[in-house]
């Protein structure tokens, strides 16, 4: 496979509140991904993040989660 | 039809889901359909379309994803390491699915809640999503914690972020498919009652197995020989806490106190293998229990056995039990999950309370003491199994659902 590294910022549209990075990624892979993601697709999964934030707010036990 | 069978789990893997996916692929392709199988690679380092040898390594995705999801920007995601790992691995699955392209498929058929939720986020709207869900993650988590810490109460476990995360994945997954398939009444009721999935979006029917192929495999040679003058008790399955082998061992220890005309074969592999071998030594039953590891000749080993035991703490509709029924073994199962739906106590096997060593011991003893009972149970279960586990019937039902979902999707367009 011919590789072409491009700046990851080209794919910022797939992330919530993207930041500028110095990360270089494989163009062939990430362009194919971006072409196929549905409109509005974002990482992280906001729905799940809101639920986890609520769990944290309610208070979760840390002892057992460290088992 | 072009069909994608997908799972979040490693494929190929131990356990019944992988053989089930392979069997579905084979049957559907014989009927002229095209089937791809998508999931994690066995080492967990990539996602792949197994049958086409198409791979996307996670190392191509991790640097950018981790940088964009750094702790300062996404503190919630970093609250717990396991939650972070599972969540990011879900994103890799979503990105991998986009890389391979989902628009080429007419239908997506997932095999667990995690892949269902992932693919619902990235599939084209017109492609129907059908999910066969083979277990309940939140309930497995409880068993896992109970094994690690027997004193932990269910309420304490349900307060952990780990449990809540899995519960949410169960809920998201079961709500994101167009239709959910369960194989047991047990999972059917859990999805409707505990997860509030609308009744009309859940269908229940049993799995199937290629019976002639299985019976043929039973006749193949094996290098393991049954001991002379001893009955063989066999367990086949993953050596993980929910399969309950750690409950079987004390039952065997009690059995050894009564009679010694038996040998137990533990067939399978898993994270608990070393602990179980050590416990076998502690119980003083090493001379009666053989750990055979992962084997490719399970049907032939079943043929040489007399009693099949499955002491699960949680299970749905395990392939290992289906195979033992087709092999016509005297069955002892626990009453966990969907197991009692598969065995009628006293008619097609014996059922013992899950997690209890004494009822298991008593059932083992009675099957060793009473030849007539053992032979009667073996013969009636085989007769029942040969009719019940038809793979053609399962394929017919699955295809009918694909067609129904496709026509619904066309109507929407």
């Amino acid at each position: 496979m011919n590789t072409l590294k491009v700046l990851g910022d080209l794919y910022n549209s797939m992330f919530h509140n993207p930041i500028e990075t110095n990360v270089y990624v494989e163009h062939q892979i990430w362009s194919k991904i971006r072409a196929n993601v549905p409109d509005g697709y974002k990482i992280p999964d906001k729905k799940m993040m809101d639920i986890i934030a609520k769990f944290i707010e309610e208070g979760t036990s840390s002892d057992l989660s460290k088992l | 039809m072009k069909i994608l069978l997908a799972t979040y789990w490693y494929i190929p893997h131990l356990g019944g889901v992988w053989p089930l996916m392979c069997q579905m692929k084979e049957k559907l392709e014989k009927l002229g359909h095209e089937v791809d199988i998508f999931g994690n690679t066995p080492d967990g380092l990539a996602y792949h379309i197994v049958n086409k040898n198409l791979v996307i390594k996670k190392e191509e995705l991790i640097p950018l994803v981790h940088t964009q999801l750094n702790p300062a920007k996404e503190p919630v995601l970093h609250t717990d390491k396991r939650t972070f790992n599972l969540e990011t691995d879900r994103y890799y699955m979503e990105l991998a699915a986009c890389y391979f392209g989902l628009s080429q498929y007419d239908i997506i058929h997932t095999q667990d809640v995690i892949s269902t939720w992932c693919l619902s986020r990235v599939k084209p709207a017109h492609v129907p999503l059908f999910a066969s869900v083979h277990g309940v993650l939140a309930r497995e988590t409880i068993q896992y914690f109970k094994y690690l810490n027997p004193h932990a109460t269910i309420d304490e476990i349900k307060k952990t972020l780990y449990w809540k995360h899995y519960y949410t994945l169960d809920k998201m997954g079961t709500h994101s498919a167009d239709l959910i398939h369960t194989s047991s009444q047990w999972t059917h009721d859990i999805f409707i009652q505990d997860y509030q999935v609308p009744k009309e979006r859940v269908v229940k029917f049993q799995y199937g197995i290629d019976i002639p192929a299985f019976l043929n495999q039973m006749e193949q040679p094996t290098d393991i020989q049954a001991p002379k003058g001893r009955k063989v008790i066999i367990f086949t399955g993953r050596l993980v806490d929910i399969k309950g082998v750690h409950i079987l061992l004390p039952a065997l220890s009690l059995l050894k106190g009564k009679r010694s005309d038996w040998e137990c074969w533990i067939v399978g592999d898993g994270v608990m293998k070393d602990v179980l071998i050590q416990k076998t030594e502690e119980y003083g039953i090493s001379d009666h229990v053989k750990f055979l590891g992962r084997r490719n000749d399970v049907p032939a080993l079943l043929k040489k056995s007399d009693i099949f035991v499955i002491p699960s703490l949680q299970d749905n509709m395990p392939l290992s039990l289906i195979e033992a029924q087709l092999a016509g073994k005297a069955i002892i199962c626990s009453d966990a999950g969907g197991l009692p739906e598969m065995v009628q106590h006293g008619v097609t096997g014996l059922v013992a309370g899950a997690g209890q060593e004494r009822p298991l011991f008593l059932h083992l003893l009675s099957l060793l003491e009473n030849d007539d009972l053992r032979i009667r149970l073996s013969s009636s279960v085989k007769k029942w199994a040969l009719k019940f586990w038809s793979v053609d019937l399962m394929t017919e039902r699955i295809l009918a659902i694909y067609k129904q979902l496709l026509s619904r999707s066309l109507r929407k367009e």
Side-chain angles (χ1 to χ4, degrees):
Chain A
M1 183 174 80
N2 291 327
T3 67
L4 171 65
K5 295 279 188 186
V6 293
L7 198 59
D9 295 8
L10 276 175
Y11 308 103
N12 276 354
S13 61
M14 286 189 272
F15 296 93
H16 281 291
N17 308 316
I19 51 167
E20 282 184 21
T21 71
N22 286 318
V23 176
Y24 281 80
V25 297
E26 187 55 54
H27 175 260
Q28 184 264 344
I29 292 174
W30 278 89
S31 295
K32 209 169 160 190
I33 291 170
R34 190 179 52 187
N36 286 330
V37 293
D39 290 345
Y41 174 81
K42 301 270 185 202
I43 293 173
D45 176 354
K46 198 80 176 59
K47 216 180 217 178
M48 181 62 96
M49 287 303 100
D50 289 347
I51 292 170
I52 293 176
K54 205 175 142 219
F55 290 153
I56 294 165
E57 209 179 289
E58 285 168 0
T60 57
S61 159
S62 56
D63 290 339
L64 282 167
S65 61
K66 279 180 186 160
L67 277 174
Chain B
M1 253 186 269
K2 188 163 181 184
I3 300 148
L4 180 67
L5 299 180
T7 180
Y8 170 74
W9 309 120
Y10 302 153
I11 45 172
H13 65 184
L14 292 172
V17 179
W18 171 246
L20 188 70
M21 291 172 91
C22 292
Q23 197 173 256
M24 273 194 260
K25 176 175 164 61
E26 192 188 322
K27 282 284 160 188
L28 289 165
E29 287 188 337
K30 268 190 189 156
L31 295 169
H33 305 287
E34 196 182 332
V35 181
D36 285 342
I37 300 186
F38 170 49
N40 247 302
T41 52
D43 59 9
L45 297 176
Y47 280 98
H48 60 165
I49 303 267
V50 187
N51 51 299
K52 288 191 169 152
N53 207 21
L54 295 173
V55 180
I56 178 165
K57 290 181 181 167
K58 293 176 194 175
E59 66 184 24
E60 299 286 357
L61 309 172
I62 288 171
L64 184 58
V65 171
H66 276 220
T67 306
Q68 287 290 357
L69 304 183
N70 68 70
K73 194 171 148 252
E74 301 292 346
V76 167
L77 190 59
H78 289 266
T79 312
D80 175 84
K81 201 179 167 197
R82 279 187 293 208
T83 305
F84 174 82
N85 289 341
L86 178 50
E87 279 300 294
T88 46
D89 206 27
R90 287 207 301 118
Y91 307 148
Y92 306 141
M93 181 170 207
E94 292 168 0
L95 297 173
C98 291
Y99 176 70
F100 294 129
L102 294 179
S103 57
Q104 60 182 305
Y105 298 104
D106 298 303
I107 193 133
I108 299 171
H109 184 175
T110 49
Q111 305 294 317
D112 62 89
V113 288
I114 300 178
S115 62
T116 308
W117 176 234
C118 286
L119 299 190
S120 76
R121 276 175 35 88
V122 291
K123 75 175 185 66
H126 69 277
V127 179
L129 177 57
F130 175 49
S132 289
V133 183
H134 308 292
V136 186
L137 295 181
R139 297 215 174 193
E140 287 183 22
T141 304
I142 290 176
Q143 294 302 336
Y144 173 64
F145 273 129
K146 280 281 203 193
Y147 171 70
L148 291 179
N149 180 357
H151 304 295
T153 66
I154 290 180
D155 281 348
E156 283 172 327
I157 293 167
K158 286 186 174 178
K159 279 182 187 151
T160 62
L161 183 57
Y162 189 75
W163 181 85
K164 289 178 181 182
H165 189 207
Y166 276 99
Y167 175 82
T168 307
L169 288 167
D170 276 333
K171 189 151 189 173
M172 300 276 223
T174 49
H175 280 259
S176 57
D178 293 304
L179 199 65
I180 297 281
H181 161 223
T182 72
S183 55
S184 69
Q185 193 65 38
W186 174 67
T187 42
H188 176 273
D189 294 348
I190 289 173
F191 294 147
I192 292 171
Q193 286 157 20
D194 294 5
Y195 293 94
Q196 294 88 42
V197 180
K199 219 185 265 180
E200 61 278 10
R201 286 193 24 221
V202 187
V203 288
K204 179 186 89 82
F205 55 85
Q206 75 269 24
Y207 304 140
I209 181 169
D210 187 339
I211 296 171
F214 176 80
L215 296 177
N216 180 46
Q217 285 163 18
M218 277 182 71
E219 301 307 319
Q220 300 307 307
T222 171
D223 56 336
I224 305 289
Q225 295 307 318
K228 277 188 184 157
R230 287 181 174 192
K231 293 278 183 291
V232 174
I233 300 162
I234 188 169
F235 163 88
T236 65
R238 286 174 299 141
L239 302 184
V240 293
D241 56 301
I242 57 167
K243 293 293 178 185
V245 181
H246 57 292
I247 306 296
L248 173 63
L249 297 181
L252 293 174
S253 171
L254 291 169
L255 186 65
K256 195 187 168 188
K258 288 283 178 187
R259 40 196 308 155
S260 56
D261 56 345
W262 57 272
E263 182 168 286
C264 180
W265 294 349
I266 309 280
V267 185
D269 207 346
V271 289
M272 280 185 73
K273 187 175 180 181
D274 291 343
V275 175
L276 293 170
I277 291 173
Q278 192 192 326
K279 280 190 182 292
T280 302
E281 282 164 15
E282 285 166 15
Y283 285 119
I285 50 174
S286 304
D287 52 338
H288 278 68
V289 180
K290 283 187 175 168
F291 285 84
L292 302 184
R294 187 180 184 176
R295 307 273 311 186
N296 293 321
D297 55 357
V298 171
L301 294 175
L302 282 168
K303 190 186 175 191
K304 292 185 180 291
S305 309
D306 301 285
I307 299 167
F308 175 85
V309 61
I310 179 161
S312 303
L313 302 176
Q314 186 178 305
D315 228 322
N316 181 37
M317 187 169 275
L319 180 66
S320 58
L321 177 51
I322 297 174
E323 289 182 337
Q325 292 180 324
L326 286 166
K329 300 296 109 177
I331 307 285
I332 300 174
C333 72
S334 77
D335 63 356
L339 296 182
E341 296 170 42
M342 298 172 74
V343 174
Q344 196 183 346
H345 183 70
V347 180
T348 53
L350 299 176
V351 182
Q356 299 171 37
E357 60 205 51
R358 194 159 173 81
L360 263 186
F361 150 66
L362 291 173
H363 287 342
L364 286 165
L365 186 63
S366 61
L367 289 181
L368 288 173
E369 279 178 346
N370 189 338
D371 288 341
D372 288 346
L373 174 66
R374 200 180 60 253
I375 292 163
R376 178 168 62 77
L377 294 179
S378 305
S379 137
S380 53
V381 77
K382 184 160 189 166
K383 214 166 149 188
W384 174 82
L386 288 170
K387 279 188 191 161
F388 194 72
W389 299 117
S390 157
V391 72
D392 292 330
L393 180 60
M394 178 186 75
T395 312
E396 222 173 85
R397 284 168 163 164
I398 286 174
L399 263 178
I401 286 169
Y402 289 173
K403 284 175 187 163
Q404 176 202 331
L405 291 174
L406 269 175
S407 71
R408 206 194 286 173
S409 157
L410 286 173
R411 277 202 305 274
K412 271 188 202 164
E413 280 178 9

